[in-house]
Amino acid sequence: MTTELTVRDAVFDYCRRVGMTTVFGNPGSTELRMLRDFPADFEYVLGLQEIVAVGAAAGHAIGTGNAALVNLHSAGGVGNALGAVFTAHRDRVPLVIIAGQQTRAMLPTRPFLGADEPEQFPRPYVKWSRQPARAEDVPAALAEAYRTAMTHPRGPVFLSVPEDDWDRPAEPVPHREIRGGFAADPAALAEVAEALDGAERPAVIVGSGVEDEDALPLVVDLAERTGAPVWISPLSGRSGFPEDHALFRGFLPPVRDQLARRLAEYDVVLVLGAPVFNYHVHSEGPFLPEGTRLFHFDCDADQLAWAPVGVGVLTTLRAGITGLLERVAKADRPAPEPRPRLAKPQASDPMDAALVIETLRERLPEDAVIVEECPSHRDMFHARLPVTRPGGFYTMGSGSLGWSLPMAVGRALAGSGERIVCVLGDGAIMYSVQALWTAAQHRLPMTVIVLNNGGYGAVRALGRRIGIEDIVGADVTGIDFTAVARGHGCAGRAVTSAADLDAAMAEALGHDGPFLLDVSVMADNSAMYGSTP
């Protein structure tokens, strides 16, 4: 083959053509040849730990709507990153992950830092995984990986590249695009429309897929046409419906018997882009109340296959909901009773975490984006800080801590100056606290609020739910979070008195650059997801 183009040239050329010109990573020896002569029109965003690199890439992908490029270091770096890869998979975030590998000549001797069976390492939490058989196949493999990541259901993909491949000759990747939208069989849409038209008490359940597929306006139209109350699915990583809308009813619990009881008043339930039977703790009983019919729209055939009950309809949401809107009649159903507005808690020391969230709500800029990772306060958080617009809220849908802080960094990098407000537990922040350094290096408009209750409150609450009062290893004490922040170049302030909270919140939200607010709150002694069974 006669060409002056190298694998590195062809890869960066393809990335440039599809808009992946920001690389998130933590480099090592097996990536040096990839990064040599780094293109001037690309940006490398350094994360001080691999989970930070993947989480920040995910935030950037969510903010731009395009896959983000991640550079990881061989087996060790991939291993460090897998918790974040798992969450990206569950939340359907398109990432193209390139991991270094030792030279092809060294692989038979199981070299230091080499990855054994690299294609298998990140599975099953990537959609696609390869180490090409030949160096010249790397650019085409990257293109296949990108197209796979961006095809619904979107998600992370993985490419392992031996380090000596980058300087080998290669051909440019031909142009190719995929039109990924697809609709359900018309007979299936007609069946669902007929069920909705004939229902006495229909309901809609929405999940992360609604925002991922930019289908929220269509969901609002469908809910208003059918008069159906709308719930958000258990442990959803994003919002999917304006929470100040008259038809919004709240968040479903990730407990089988509780979820079934919430749905008992409905005869037809339509699920849109959500793994609705997504449980966190065990309970007995039916998946659905007797007499309730369930229809489930999703673009993921695997999701529909494992769901235990109901009728699955394979479709991308925009196409499927559009088809329903063409078939469903306008219903005249009374709106549900308005949800009561919770009163602001009284000031006390130590503070009620609800007071912190109410104070945040009062001072929150109109265009701010909320990122949350405080599991022990999640129900309260949603009840007091409603999400009212698309793209205004994100959390981690997998339950794997350490996702939200770096994801907030990436979302800020993809933004246009709007304030990113990341609310974390004191346990959660320590999984990826290095992300503060990246935020400081880029002077990002971020406010990080630590709800400091001295430990893993969610673990304590779940322990109480199953009758375990004394949980070993649930206490997190002795950490000066403002000192940790300052050590990473991020300004900070601690608040221990309710009298100082409002002024501190104003400072944190108005600071030029990232700011950490460490707020001491009382331990939450309530049981998670309701009372002990």
Coordinates of all heavy atoms in Angstrom, one line a residue, residues 409-483:
V409 N -18.7 18.4 35.2 CA -17.6 19.1 34.6 C -17.7 19.0 33.1 O -17.6 20.0 32.4 CB -16.2 18.4 35.1 CG1 -15.1 18.9 34.2 CG2 -16.0 18.7 36.6
G410 N -18.0 17.8 32.6 CA -18.1 17.7 31.1 C -19.3 18.5 30.6 O -19.2 19.1 29.5
R411 N -20.4 18.5 31.3 CA -21.6 19.3 30.9 C -21.2 20.8 30.9 O -21.7 21.5 30.0 CB -22.8 19.0 31.8 CG -24.0 19.8 31.5 CD -24.6 19.5 30.2 NE -25.7 20.4 29.9 CZ -25.6 21.7 29.5 NH1 -24.5 22.2 29.3 NH2 -26.7 22.4 29.2
A412 N -20.4 21.2 31.9 CA -20.0 22.6 31.9 C -19.1 23.0 30.7 O -19.2 24.0 30.1 CB -19.3 23.0 33.2
L413 N -18.2 22.0 30.3 CA -17.4 22.3 29.2 C -18.2 22.4 27.9 O -17.8 23.1 27.0 CB -16.4 21.1 29.1 CG -15.2 21.1 30.1 CD1 -14.5 19.8 30.1 CD2 -14.2 22.3 29.7
A414 N -19.3 21.7 27.8 CA -20.1 21.7 26.6 C -21.1 22.9 26.6 O -21.8 23.1 25.6 CB -20.9 20.4 26.5
G415 N -21.2 23.6 27.7 CA -22.2 24.6 27.9 C -21.8 26.0 27.3 O -20.7 26.1 26.7
S416 N -22.6 26.9 27.4 CA -22.4 28.3 26.9 C -22.3 29.3 28.1 O -22.7 30.5 27.9 CB -23.5 28.7 25.9 OG -24.8 28.6 26.5
G417 N -21.9 28.8 29.2 CA -21.7 29.7 30.4 C -22.8 29.6 31.4 O -22.7 30.3 32.5
E418 N -23.8 28.8 31.2 CA -24.9 28.6 32.2 C -24.3 27.9 33.5 O -23.3 27.2 33.4 CB -26.0 27.8 31.7 CG -25.7 26.3 31.3 CD -25.2 26.2 29.9 OE1 -24.7 27.1 29.3 OE2 -25.4 25.1 29.3
R419 N -24.8 28.2 34.6 CA -24.3 27.7 35.9 C -24.7 26.2 36.0 O -25.8 25.8 35.8 CB -24.9 28.4 37.1 CG -24.1 28.2 38.4 CD -22.8 29.0 38.3 NE -22.0 28.8 39.5 CZ -20.8 29.3 39.6 NH1 -20.3 30.1 38.7 NH2 -20.0 29.1 40.7
I420 N -23.7 25.4 36.3 CA -23.9 23.9 36.6 C -23.8 23.8 38.1 O -22.8 24.1 38.7 CB -22.9 23.1 35.9 CG1 -22.7 23.4 34.4 CG2 -23.2 21.6 36.1 CD1 -24.0 23.3 33.6
V421 N -24.9 23.3 38.7 CA -25.0 23.1 40.1 C -25.0 21.6 40.4 O -26.0 20.9 40.0 CB -26.2 23.8 40.7 CG1 -26.3 23.6 42.2 CG2 -26.2 25.3 40.4
C422 N -24.0 21.1 41.1 CA -23.9 19.7 41.4 C -24.1 19.5 42.9 O -23.3 20.0 43.7 CB -22.5 19.2 41.0 SG -22.2 17.4 41.1
V423 N -25.1 18.8 43.3 CA -25.5 18.5 44.7 C -25.1 17.1 45.0 O -25.6 16.1 44.4 CB -27.0 18.8 44.9 CG1 -27.3 18.6 46.4 CG2 -27.4 20.2 44.5
L424 N -24.2 16.9 45.9 CA -23.6 15.6 46.2 C -23.7 15.3 47.7 O -23.7 16.2 48.6 CB -22.1 15.6 45.9 CG -21.7 15.9 44.4 CD1 -20.2 16.2 44.3 CD2 -22.1 14.8 43.5
G425 N -23.7 14.0 48.0 CA -23.5 13.6 49.4 C -22.0 13.6 49.8 O -21.1 13.6 48.9
D426 N -21.7 13.7 51.0 CA -20.3 13.7 51.5 C -19.6 12.4 51.2 O -18.3 12.3 51.0 CB -20.2 14.0 53.0 CG -21.0 13.1 53.8 OD1 -22.1 12.7 53.4 OD2 -20.6 12.8 55.0
G427 N -20.3 11.3 51.0 CA -19.7 10.0 50.6 C -19.5 10.0 49.1 O -18.4 9.6 48.6
A428 N -20.4 10.5 48.4 CA -20.4 10.4 46.9 C -19.2 11.2 46.3 O -18.5 10.8 45.4 CB -21.7 10.9 46.3
I429 N -18.9 12.4 46.9 CA -17.9 13.3 46.3 C -16.6 12.6 46.3 O -15.7 12.9 45.4 CB -17.9 14.7 47.0 CG1 -17.0 15.6 46.2 CG2 -17.5 14.6 48.4 CD1 -17.0 17.0 46.7
M430 N -16.3 11.8 47.3 CA -14.9 11.3 47.4 C -14.6 10.2 46.4 O -13.5 9.8 46.3 CB -14.7 10.7 48.8 CG -14.7 11.8 49.9 SD -13.5 13.2 49.6 CE -12.0 12.3 49.6
Y431 N -15.6 9.7 45.7 CA -15.3 8.7 44.6 C -14.6 9.4 43.4 O -13.9 8.7 42.7 CB -16.6 8.1 44.1 CG -17.2 7.0 45.1 CD1 -17.8 7.4 46.2 CD2 -17.0 5.7 44.8 CE1 -18.4 6.4 47.1 CE2 -17.5 4.7 45.6 CZ -18.2 5.1 46.8 OH -18.7 4.1 47.6
S432 N -14.8 10.7 43.2 CA -14.2 11.3 42.0 C -13.9 12.8 42.3 O -14.1 13.6 41.5 CB -15.2 11.2 40.9 OG -16.5 11.7 41.2
V433 N -13.4 13.0 43.5 CA -13.1 14.4 43.9 C -12.1 15.1 43.1 O -12.0 16.3 43.0 CB -12.7 14.4 45.4 CG1 -11.3 13.8 45.6 CG2 -12.8 15.8 46.0
Q434 N -11.2 14.3 42.4 CA -10.2 14.8 41.5 C -10.8 15.7 40.4 O -10.1 16.5 39.7 CB -9.4 13.7 40.9 CG -8.7 12.8 41.9 CD -9.5 11.6 42.1 OE1 -10.8 11.6 42.1 NE2 -8.9 10.4 42.3
A435 N -12.1 15.5 40.1 CA -12.8 16.3 39.1 C -12.8 17.8 39.4 O -12.9 18.6 38.5 CB -14.2 15.8 38.9
L436 N -12.6 18.1 40.7 CA -12.5 19.6 41.0 C -11.3 20.2 40.4 O -11.4 21.4 40.0 CB -12.4 19.7 42.5 CG -13.7 19.3 43.4 CD1 -13.4 19.4 44.8 CD2 -14.9 20.2 43.0
W437 N -10.2 19.5 40.2 CA -9.0 20.0 39.6 C -9.3 20.4 38.1 O -8.9 21.5 37.7 CB -7.9 19.0 39.7 CG -6.6 19.5 39.1 CD1 -5.6 20.2 39.6 CD2 -6.2 19.3 37.7 NE1 -4.6 20.5 38.8 CE2 -4.9 19.9 37.5 CE3 -6.7 18.6 36.6 CZ2 -4.2 19.9 36.4 CZ3 -6.0 18.6 35.4 CH2 -4.8 19.2 35.3
T438 N -10.0 19.5 37.4 CA -10.3 19.8 36.0 C -11.2 21.0 35.9 O -11.1 21.9 35.1 CB -11.0 18.6 35.3 OG1 -10.1 17.4 35.5 CG2 -11.2 18.8 33.9
A439 N -12.2 21.1 36.8 CA -13.1 22.3 36.9 C -12.3 23.5 37.1 O -12.6 24.6 36.5 CB -14.2 22.1 37.9
A440 N -11.4 23.5 38.0 CA -10.6 24.7 38.3 C -9.7 25.1 37.2 O -9.5 26.2 36.9 CB -9.7 24.4 39.6
Q441 N -9.1 24.1 36.5 CA -8.2 24.3 35.4 C -8.9 25.1 34.3 O -8.3 25.9 33.6 CB -7.5 23.0 34.9 CG -6.6 22.4 35.8 CD -5.3 23.2 36.1 OE1 -4.7 23.6 35.1 NE2 -5.0 23.5 37.3
H442 N -10.2 24.7 34.1 CA -10.9 25.3 33.0 C -11.8 26.5 33.5 O -12.6 27.0 32.7 CB -11.8 24.3 32.3 CG -10.9 23.2 31.6 ND1 -10.6 23.3 30.2 CD2 -10.4 22.1 32.0 CE1 -9.9 22.3 29.9 NE2 -9.7 21.5 30.9
R443 N -11.7 26.9 34.7 CA -12.5 27.9 35.3 C -14.0 27.8 35.0 O -14.6 28.7 34.5 CB -12.0 29.3 34.9 CG -10.6 29.6 35.4 CD -10.2 31.1 35.2 NE -11.2 32.0 35.9 CZ -11.1 32.2 37.2 NH1 -10.2 31.7 38.0 NH2 -12.0 33.1 37.8
L444 N -14.5 26.6 35.2 CA -15.9 26.3 34.8 C -16.9 27.0 35.8 O -16.7 27.1 37.0 CB -16.1 24.8 34.8 CG -15.2 24.0 33.8 CD1 -15.5 22.6 33.9 CD2 -15.5 24.5 32.4
P445 N -18.1 27.4 35.2 CA -19.1 28.0 36.1 C -19.9 26.9 36.8 O -21.0 26.5 36.5 CB -20.0 28.7 35.1 CG -19.8 27.9 33.8 CD -18.4 27.4 33.8
M446 N -19.3 26.4 37.9 CA -19.8 25.3 38.6 C -20.0 25.6 40.1 O -19.1 26.2 40.7 CB -18.9 24.0 38.5 CG -19.1 23.2 37.2 SD -18.1 21.8 37.2 CE -18.7 20.9 38.7
T447 N -21.1 25.2 40.7 CA -21.2 25.2 42.1 C -21.4 23.8 42.6 O -22.3 23.1 42.1 CB -22.5 26.1 42.5 OG1 -22.3 27.4 42.0 CG2 -22.7 26.1 44.0
V448 N -20.6 23.4 43.5 CA -20.7 22.0 44.1 C -21.2 22.2 45.5 O -20.5 22.8 46.4 CB -19.3 21.3 44.0 CG1 -19.4 19.9 44.7 CG2 -18.8 21.2 42.6
I449 N -22.3 21.6 45.8 CA -22.9 21.6 47.2 C -22.8 20.2 47.8 O -23.4 19.3 47.2 CB -24.4 22.1 47.1 CG1 -24.4 23.5 46.5 CG2 -25.0 22.1 48.5 CD1 -25.8 24.0 46.2
V450 N -22.1 20.1 48.9 CA -21.9 18.9 49.6 C -22.9 18.8 50.8 O -22.8 19.7 51.7 CB -20.5 18.7 50.1 CG1 -20.3 17.3 50.8 CG2 -19.5 18.8 48.9
L451 N -23.9 17.9 50.7 CA -24.8 17.7 51.9 C -24.1 16.7 52.8 O -24.0 15.5 52.6 CB -26.1 17.1 51.4 CG -26.9 18.0 50.4 CD1 -28.2 17.3 50.0 CD2 -27.2 19.4 51.0
N452 N -23.5 17.3 53.8 CA -22.5 16.6 54.7 C -23.3 16.1 55.9 O -23.5 16.8 56.9 CB -21.4 17.5 55.1 CG -20.3 16.8 55.8 OD1 -20.4 15.6 56.3 ND2 -19.1 17.4 55.9
N453 N -23.6 14.8 55.9 CA -24.3 14.2 57.0 C -23.4 13.1 57.8 O -23.9 12.3 58.6 CB -25.7 13.5 56.6 CG -25.5 12.4 55.6 OD1 -24.4 12.0 55.3 ND2 -26.6 11.9 55.1
G454 N -22.1 13.2 57.4 CA -21.2 12.3 58.2 C -21.2 10.9 57.8 O -20.7 10.0 58.6
G455 N -21.6 10.5 56.6 CA -21.5 9.1 56.2 C -22.4 8.8 55.0 O -23.0 9.6 54.3
Y456 N -22.5 7.5 54.8 CA -23.3 6.9 53.7 C -24.7 6.8 54.2 O -25.2 5.7 54.6 CB -22.7 5.6 53.2 CG -21.3 5.7 52.7 CD1 -20.3 5.0 53.3 CD2 -21.0 6.5 51.6 CE1 -19.0 5.0 52.9 CE2 -19.7 6.6 51.2 CZ -18.7 5.9 51.8 OH -17.4 6.0 51.3
G457 N -25.5 7.9 54.1 CA -26.9 7.9 54.6 C -27.8 6.9 53.9 O -28.6 6.3 54.5
A458 N -27.6 6.7 52.6 CA -28.4 5.7 51.9 C -28.2 4.3 52.3 O -29.1 3.5 52.5 CB -28.1 5.9 50.4
V459 N -26.9 4.0 52.6 CA -26.6 2.6 53.1 C -27.3 2.4 54.5 O -27.8 1.4 54.8 CB -25.1 2.4 53.2 CG1 -24.7 1.1 53.9 CG2 -24.5 2.5 51.8
R460 N -27.2 3.5 55.4 CA -27.8 3.4 56.7 C -29.3 3.2 56.5 O -29.9 2.3 57.2 CB -27.5 4.6 57.5 CG -26.1 4.9 57.9 CD -25.9 6.3 58.4 NE -24.6 6.6 58.8 CZ -24.1 7.8 59.0 NH1 -24.9 8.8 58.6 NH2 -22.9 8.0 59.4
A461 N -29.9 3.9 55.6 CA -31.4 3.9 55.5 C -31.8 2.5 54.9 O -32.8 1.9 55.4 CB -31.9 5.0 54.6
L462 N -31.1 2.0 54.0 CA -31.4 0.7 53.4 C -31.2 -0.4 54.5 O -31.9 -1.4 54.5 CB -30.6 0.4 52.2 CG -31.0 1.2 51.0 CD1 -30.0 1.1 49.9 CD2 -32.4 0.7 50.4
G463 N -30.2 -0.2 55.3 CA -30.0 -1.2 56.4 C -31.2 -1.2 57.4 O -31.6 -2.3 57.8
R464 N -31.6 0.0 57.7 CA -32.8 0.1 58.6 C -34.0 -0.6 58.0 O -34.8 -1.2 58.7 CB -33.1 1.5 59.0 CG -32.1 2.2 59.9 CD -32.6 3.5 60.4 NE -32.7 4.5 59.4 CZ -31.7 5.3 59.0 NH1 -30.5 5.2 59.6 NH2 -31.9 6.2 58.0
R465 N -34.1 -0.5 56.7 CA -35.3 -1.0 56.0 C -35.3 -2.6 56.1 O -36.4 -3.2 56.2 CB -35.2 -0.7 54.5 CG -36.6 -1.0 53.8 CD -36.5 -0.6 52.3 NE -37.9 -0.6 51.8 CZ -38.5 -1.7 51.4 NH1 -37.9 -2.9 51.6 NH2 -39.7 -1.7 51.0
I466 N -34.2 -3.2 56.3 CA -34.2 -4.7 56.4 C -33.8 -5.1 57.8 O -33.4 -6.2 58.1 CB -33.2 -5.3 55.4 CG1 -31.8 -4.8 55.6 CG2 -33.6 -5.1 54.0 CD1 -30.7 -5.5 54.7
G467 N -33.9 -4.1 58.8 CA -33.8 -4.4 60.2 C -32.4 -4.4 60.7 O -32.1 -5.0 61.8
I468 N -31.4 -3.8 60.0 CA -30.1 -3.7 60.5 C -29.8 -2.3 60.9 O -29.8 -1.3 60.1 CB -29.1 -4.1 59.4 CG1 -29.3 -5.5 58.9 CG2 -27.6 -4.0 59.9 CD1 -28.5 -5.9 57.7
E469 N -29.7 -2.1 62.2 CA -29.5 -0.7 62.8 C -28.1 -0.2 62.7 O -27.8 1.0 62.5 CB -30.1 -0.6 64.2 CG -31.6 -0.8 64.3 CD -32.3 0.3 63.6 OE1 -31.8 1.5 63.6 OE2 -33.4 0.1 63.0
D470 N -27.1 -1.1 63.0 CA -25.7 -0.7 63.1 C -25.0 -1.2 61.9 O -24.7 -2.4 61.7 CB -25.1 -1.3 64.4 CG -25.7 -0.7 65.6 OD1 -26.1 0.5 65.7 OD2 -25.9 -1.5 66.6
I471 N -24.7 -0.3 61.0 CA -24.0 -0.6 59.7 C -22.5 -0.3 59.9 O -22.1 0.8 60.2 CB -24.6 0.2 58.6 CG1 -26.1 0.0 58.4 CG2 -23.9 -0.1 57.3 CD1 -26.5 -1.4 58.0
V472 N -21.7 -1.3 59.7 CA -20.3 -1.2 59.7 C -19.8 -0.4 58.5 O -20.2 -0.7 57.4 CB -19.6 -2.5 59.8 CG1 -18.1 -2.4 59.8 CG2 -20.0 -3.2 61.1
G473 N -18.9 0.5 58.6 CA -18.3 1.2 57.5 C -19.1 2.3 56.9 O -18.8 2.7 55.7
A474 N -20.2 2.8 57.5 CA -21.0 3.8 57.0 C -20.7 5.2 57.4 O -21.3 6.1 57.0 CB -22.5 3.5 57.3
D475 N -19.7 5.3 58.3 CA -19.3 6.7 58.8 C -18.2 7.3 58.0 O -17.2 6.6 57.7 CB -18.9 6.6 60.3 CG -20.0 6.1 61.2 OD1 -21.2 6.4 60.8 OD2 -19.8 5.5 62.2
V476 N -18.4 8.6 57.6 CA -17.4 9.3 56.9 C -17.1 10.6 57.6 O -17.9 11.5 57.5 CB -17.8 9.6 55.4 CG1 -16.7 10.4 54.7 CG2 -18.1 8.3 54.7
T477 N -16.1 10.6 58.4 CA -15.8 11.8 59.2 C -14.4 12.3 59.1 O -13.5 11.5 58.6 CB -16.1 11.5 60.7 OG1 -15.3 10.4 61.1 CG2 -17.6 11.1 60.9
G478 N -14.1 13.5 59.5 CA -12.7 14.0 59.6 C -12.2 14.5 58.3 O -11.0 14.8 58.2
I479 N -13.1 14.7 57.3 CA -12.6 15.3 56.0 C -13.0 16.8 55.9 O -14.1 17.2 56.1 CB -13.3 14.6 54.8 CG1 -13.0 13.1 54.8 CG2 -12.8 15.2 53.5 CD1 -13.7 12.3 53.8
D480 N -12.0 17.6 55.6 CA -12.2 19.0 55.5 C -12.4 19.2 53.9 O -11.4 19.4 53.2 CB -11.0 19.8 56.0 CG -11.2 21.3 55.9 OD1 -12.0 21.8 55.1 OD2 -10.4 22.0 56.6
F481 N -13.6 19.3 53.5 CA -13.9 19.3 52.1 C -13.5 20.7 51.5 O -13.1 20.7 50.3 CB -15.4 19.1 51.8 CG -15.8 17.7 52.1 CD1 -16.5 17.4 53.3 CD2 -15.6 16.7 51.2 CE1 -16.9 16.0 53.5 CE2 -15.9 15.4 51.4 CZ -16.6 15.1 52.6
T482 N -13.5 21.7 52.2 CA -13.0 23.0 51.7 C -11.5 23.0 51.5 O -11.0 23.5 50.5 CB -13.4 24.2 52.6 OG1 -12.9 24.0 53.9 CG2 -14.9 24.3 52.7
A483 N -10.8 22.3 52.4 CA -9.3 22.2 52.2 C -9.0 21.3 51.0 O -8.1 21.6 50.2 CB -8.7 21.6 53.5

